[in-house]
Amino acid sequence: MSCSLFEFCRLQELKTVRDFLFQNQSKESVEEKNQTAENELSWDTSDWESGWDNGDNKEEESASSTKVEEEPSGHSQPWLQDCVVSLSPCADLLVVAREQKAAFLSAKWRTDDSGREEMTLAVSWSGPLSTEEGESVSSVIAIPLASQKRSSTGRPDWTCIVVGFTSGYVRFYTESGVLLLAQLLHVDPVLRLKCRTYEIPRHPGVTEQHEELSILYPAALVTIDGFSLFQSLRACRNQVARAAAAGSDVVPPPPLAYKKWGLQEMDTIMDHSSAGVMTLCVFDQMKNASILGGFHASVKGSPPAMSQFVTVGSGPYAGFYYAVEGNSQPLLSHVALAVASKLTSALFNAASGWLGWNKNKNEEEAAQKQKPKVEPATPLGIRFGLPDSRRHGESICLSPCNTLAGVTDDFGRVTLLDLAKGVAIRMWKGYRDAQLGWLQVQEERGDREFSPSASLPRRHALFLIIYAPRRGILEVWAMQRGPRVGAFTVGKHCRLLYAGYHLMGVNSVTSQGWQLHTQQVCLLDPTTGALRTINIPFHLALSDKKNERARDMHLLKRLTAVLKSRDMDPDTLEREVKSVLLEIKHPAIKKQALESLLSNRNAPVSCLTNVTSALRDALKHQADADEVEASLLQLCSSQLKLLQLYIDIQQLQSAANAEDCPENDSLQGIEEELSRVGPTLQRYAQLSSKPLVSFAQDSPDTPLSAQAFLAQLECAEDGEVKVNRRSDAEWNQLGNFMFWGCLCGKSPTHKVCDTLQLAGISPQQLLSLLMSVWLQREKEVLQKPVETVRNLHTLLIALSNMDGAVEESWDPQSVSPWWQQVRFTCIQSHNAAAALLAAFVAHRAAKASITSRADSKLQSEWEAVSLELEQWLVCVRQLEDVLVLQTLMLVPSPQGTAGGAVVQCSIKTLLEGGTGGIADSVSKWVFRQNMAPEQLKEILQRKESEDAGDKKEQKVAGDGAEEKENSHEDADSTAELLLAVCQRFPDSLSPDLLFAHCCWEYVVQWNKDPEEGRFLFCAVEHLKVISSPHIQLGISTMMWSTFIVKRFSAAAFLMEKVGKAPKDRLCRRDVGIGDKAMTSFLGCCAQLLQILMEADSAMEEIPAPELSVEEVWSGAEGPASIAELALEQRGVHYPLVQHHWLLASLLHAAMSFSVKVKPLSLFDTKGKNAFFRDLTTIQLMPSGDMDPGLVSLRQEFLLRVLTGWVQAIDDPSCSPSAPASTSLPSDGPKADWWPSLCMDLGALLQVNPDILRRHLVCELYNQGLDLRAEEAILQVEDKDVLGSQLLVLTGQRLSYSLLHNQNQTQAAMELLARLPPTLCTWLKAMDPSELRCPLVSLSKTARLVSRLIEMLPENHAQYTLALHLLEAVDVLSLSTED
């Protein structure tokens, strides 16, 4: 435990700050400077600098050698030395200023590459600060201001930046560079700004110091009271914020009240320190009075309070000034002058406005720009000084306790001053351009416990920090005459930042309970941008060479270094560690050293044993003199016992011959059970033997180190050994160390158990370790199941025979806690195969134990019946079920499916999953397998119709089908596995229950990814195959209300707003899915509502099903299954469901054929209000005849849909989907059920269906689909109107053939000349451009005309025209044949 440097922050954008501050420097000057630097003599300082290198600063050297920025050679100069730098004591704001410009860097948190949060300082503001011509920044200080809120915990509210200029101005800024206050206090340049804040007095007699800001000029010192400054700055900041919010001008604040002292009788002043208010004792008061006033001087009764100021410079080297409190009043005359001048200027401006006097405005502005009046300073004579004519002081740094100060001079000396006595008490030489700082360290609570004055307040140690930039070294010196306790090699261009103050605005009341987060000393390295602070342990201040604790801490540090060295041979390591450990005197440190030794992984077991044994012997020799603590001696004894146990087990593992396990009669039953479940175990092992990526150190075969063994075991006072369970990995590793050799047959089982029993480990913990290693190494167990099961049986019997395992008073009719522990472990395990094998063994062992106990009480021919055995039977049956189910879960998913993690099953998870937990697991597997509902239904029907004869036929057929592909074989084996699972769970996996869970799983997955329309389609398909209408109704209702209706209403409102099928972007914005996905979604909605209507109609005919669970799984406690929730749903209102189905069908049609329509406008007010309501409620539905305008809109929409369908079926671009893709519910616009759907919609929308049928026939003929049209004609009722419509279409076809065809023949021209004039005129009036397919064969046209004559009655007005058309077509066809 020595001094250390650690980085707590890093500066960002240092290059940006440098370029901003030095951008006015020309490139020539930089090049000249570089050339000069190259020509200078470079001293070889490697010899004398290497003497400062030691083991403490190796890390710092490597840290400082890594640079954040690879800077060009032109900027490698120490640019930071030319800047004024100030760091807030809270380390959250850094100010770097040069000449007229400055940059503010504020704290920000970021995440590094390793995911760890780290603090950085980044540029938050940069810009010019000076306002007067020719002035530049001479001093800067950042003062954090405390928050006045009651909830504050010590963090600053904001930070004020105080800047002194060469013009004499002092200006106050916010963190964002906003000027709050500016005041000219003296006409000379500002030399130094310093601040003093409130400190909690450590002792009752210490005077409470007030806060103040002191400003040093070449011949004057200005002090501003901290309380008034705090209030003024808060008021200015609030006023600036209000003005910025209101957009008005900022009102100039009143000047600050201050005291100005004229420091006399000193030639040159370079720096100062304000030591605060002090009161002399009576003797010093009489001494000073006699020196100043002579022998007859009068002495006042009470000594006056005085403010002490210490200055450094020349003539004298250090000066001490004392200002008696109360002699000088704050200078406020210029405050009244400023107020009077404001009133005068205001009246004058008003009068000039009345009288028109605005000519001298420029003169007034010039007068206002003049500098304000500066008050004279109060003379203050020097009390005494340290005369040294040749020495010139450069800086002074006051200690936190205000009693010491460090002074640097131009001779390269650092002098320590005692301010109370006014004398120099120490001097260091060889520190040219040194930078100083102080660090006050509080005594740790642990150190205080061993101190003889433990009841007194904690002590404080003071250290002086000296940074010598010429040598690049940072030193730590103990005060007042202590040694150097730390040294670090750092860069030569660093800056030591020491604030010497904390938060302003704190007092004894507000600081109660605060935790001030401040850094006392920081080292800024501009090459790396690192901010580092120094950590000094308190014990380094204990400079007494006889201090045992400091010596012991040094020995502990030496021991740590020895243990870290990897190149030391074991004998040397043991010798070094033993000597160090025996030399340590303090019991607590000796205990810490022993614990660090026992936790070190480099030390071998023999070293641990020998060193601990030597320490125990030494402690026993000291026990006679009562100089040792009993706890340390007990620790040595317990650790030796554990080490011996570790060595014994390790030796037993390497034993050459293991014990021969005698054959037991009870193992015959286990072998029968193994042969029964053998095929399932083989399939399980085959599916679970996938290669996994793991680290070598996590392998169960990794040997357990002695340190890990000691960390998990603990010796109690009574000699028992307790195993501490920390993590599962460590627990399994310990179990492997103890029992895996026995399970493999490599270690003697009974010897291992006897050793563990003698050590005092409880059988219950040993049983837990055994079960954990058995379950963890399931793959190795399944490779040799018979051998490992036999060894497990031997181990289990040996553990159960230990004292304390099975209670002697246990009644076989009750449950044994011992076997209940085994059963509970198997119930919780996800390793189904290993848990089943362990249950087989434990069942046989428990049965043997119960039988042996019963034999002593009953006769041998009676079989003992026990509650314990009944529970084992149930557990074994459950584990067999779980094994088959887990084997099914391990079947890999086909490529290209959604996949997902394999569901891990155990008895506990299935019971906690409720009555639907098993079906839920299988439904997730069905989703991962992408199994079609028809395939699943076929497998379940095969299970129901399967009998013994069917099984034989399948086997015979299977023998002849060996030439099938592997994929078909895998599918068959998967189907057989699913059948086996369904046979083991006939009730929990009944078809309706499984289909219900599959439906719900698919709709949940669709809700996660709505773009996958096939998920919702599969959900609807699973819903269709549910046989019970009650479950169908409930699931449909839950799907609609939970997942569908919100998105469905959004789609309806979007189409109503757009008036057509919306584009993809609008669909994604409002509905959350693309346009294609929305089309399939609306089709699924229509199908879902159709299923809902059919289920509601069939509910009265079929009774509700009764759901049951297998007797073994009747103890399930958890959420209800989906089927149970479905049966609890209320009935729906059929007209409301039909109303929504109508809207869904209209929306689906509009999206499929891109029809322009506002779907909600096709309904009246009642119909609109009924939409998107709860389907179980009764709503006011539309009734009676609808408005003819709405009916015509509906008819127009349906006619457009039919037209779109006809165009789609004849469009070759709309090719059917590839066979590999899953067909969606609509089957696209080419589906054959669109016309029938339109007819059904027309009947519900009060549209005449015959109009739709006639329109369909005409559209089919128009498209050239005559065969489909002839089928549709059969359903038309009004043939007369249809005949008239088709007559026009026939005329258009003939008109195109005779008049508009480019390839007109001579026969056609002759035919046209022979036609009757009426027919010819009629044909010329036809417009064949309305035909979408004008090129139709004459045979089809002739067939159409013959149909026309059949449809038109003879008394029809156009019957004659039809006959002429028939004649013309016949002649034209004859001429074409010729």
Side-chain angles (χ1 to χ4, degrees), residues 768-894:
S768 178
L769 288 167
L770 173 62
M771 293 302 297
S772 68
V773 66
W774 175 265
L775 296 173
Q776 180 212 9
R777 310 200 67 161
E778 184 184 55
K779 293 180 180 179
E780 293 89 338
V781 166
L782 292 179
Q783 292 175 2
K784 298 179 179 179
V786 179
E787 179 184 348
T788 51
V789 162
R790 183 182 296 110
N791 294 329
L792 176 65
H793 185 269
T794 306
L795 262 175
L796 202 56
I797 292 295
L799 292 180
S800 60
N801 291 333
M802 285 185 181
D803 295 336
V806 182
E807 298 180 0
E808 295 294 335
S809 59
W810 169 52
D811 183 8
Q813 300 302 321
S814 62
V815 177
S816 169
W818 173 262
W819 300 114
Q820 178 66 22
Q821 180 182 352
V822 182
R823 196 160 48 246
F824 184 71
T825 307
C826 295
I827 286 173
Q828 285 186 316
S829 174
H830 293 287
N831 300 315
L836 178 60
L837 295 178
F840 284 158
V841 173
H843 181 204
R844 294 297 171 182
K847 186 174 182 180
S849 176
I850 292 172
T851 305
S852 63
R853 288 173 180 267
D855 288 343
S856 61
K857 298 180 180 180
L858 303 174
Q859 296 180 0
S860 58
E861 61 266 14
W862 290 88
E863 183 178 355
V865 179
S866 170
L867 178 62
E868 181 70 37
L869 295 180
E870 291 299 321
Q871 290 203 1
W872 272 119
L873 289 173
V874 173
C875 181
V876 169
R877 173 60 192 272
Q878 288 177 335
L879 285 171
E880 290 179 4
D881 295 346
V882 171
L883 176 63
V884 179
L885 181 59
Q886 186 65 51
T887 308
L888 179 69
M889 296 294 108
L890 289 174
V891 174
S893 305

Side-chain angles (χ1 to χ4, degrees), residues 350-586:
S352 64
W354 299 331
L355 303 176
W357 298 342
N358 289 328
K359 297 179 181 179
N360 299 328
K361 188 173 182 180
N362 295 333
E363 298 178 2
E364 295 172 10
E365 292 178 357
Q368 289 179 0
K369 288 183 180 179
Q370 294 179 358
K371 289 188 177 180
K373 179 182 178 182
V374 177
E375 294 290 338
T378 303
L380 184 63
I382 189 171
R383 176 69 58 89
F384 61 90
L386 299 179
D388 193 337
S389 59
R390 297 178 58 194
R391 191 183 305 274
H392 296 272
E394 293 180 347
S395 67
I396 181 171
C397 185
L398 184 66
S399 69
C401 57
N402 298 332
T403 59
L404 301 174
V407 181
T408 62
D409 55 42
D410 57 348
F411 284 175
R413 291 346 187 231
V414 175
T415 308
L416 183 65
L417 298 182
D418 187 339
L419 301 185
K421 298 180 180 180
V423 296
I425 59 177
R426 194 170 184 182
M427 183 177 285
W428 294 265
K429 67 176 181 177
Y431 294 90
R432 192 171 298 276
D433 300 330
Q435 301 171 28
L436 306 181
W438 293 91
L439 195 61
Q440 188 170 262
V441 180
Q442 195 174 19
E443 185 179 18
E444 297 94 344
R445 295 188 182 274
D447 293 336
R448 199 60 175 162
E449 294 174 0
F450 303 106
S451 174
S453 56
S455 59
L456 298 177
R458 286 195 284 172
R459 297 174 292 179
H460 289 70
L462 192 61
F463 298 91
L464 177 64
I465 314 298
I466 305 177
Y467 168 57
R470 298 289 185 97
R471 293 187 287 167
I473 189 170
L474 185 74
E475 297 181 351
V476 182
W477 291 83
M479 294 291 103
Q480 296 181 6
R481 295 177 176 83
R484 188 181 74 170
V485 297
F488 307 93
T489 300
V490 294
K492 294 185 178 182
H493 307 314
C494 300
R495 287 289 291 268
L496 188 66
L497 305 176
Y498 173 68
Y501 57 90
H502 300 294
L503 270 69
M504 180 173 281
V506 180
N507 53 47
S508 59
V509 178
T510 58
S511 63
Q512 295 295 327
W514 276 16
Q515 297 291 331
L516 298 180
H517 306 281
T518 56
Q519 302 288 350
Q520 298 185 52
V521 178
C522 296
L523 184 72
L524 172 60
D525 189 350
T527 59
T528 63
L531 265 178
R532 292 182 286 181
T533 187
I534 307 171
N535 181 26
I536 306 176
F538 177 81
H539 70 84
L540 293 180
L542 306 175
S543 60
D544 187 3
K545 294 182 179 180
K546 296 182 180 179
N547 188 290
E548 291 184 355
R549 181 166 180 79
R551 178 175 175 275
D552 287 350
M553 294 303 296
H554 176 72
L555 291 173
L556 179 62
K557 177 184 174 183
R558 179 182 167 191
L559 175 67
T560 306
V562 169
L563 292 176
K564 284 183 178 179
S565 61
R566 297 179 178 272
D567 54 352
M568 191 176 295
D569 60 284
D571 295 335
T572 309
L573 177 66
E574 180 180 338
R575 187 169 57 254
E576 289 285 336
V577 169
K578 186 184 298 184
S579 63
V580 171
L581 197 58
L582 294 178
E583 285 182 20
I584 297 177
K585 304 298 182 183
H586 205 286

Side-chain angles (χ1 to χ4, degrees), residues 19 23 54 83 95 233 248-249 401 437 467 475 517 561 703 738 1009 1041 1147 1152 1173 1242 1254 1287 1305 1312-1313:
D19 294 343
Q23 62 184 357
N54 51 30
C83 302
V95 182
L233 292 177
S248 59
D249 295 334
C401 57
Y467 168 57
E475 297 181 351
H517 306 281
M738 290 183 177
D1009 187 9
S1041 59
L1147 294 176
S1152 298
R1173 305 284 184 180
R1254 293 200 302 267
L1287 186 66
T1305 61
L1312 188 62

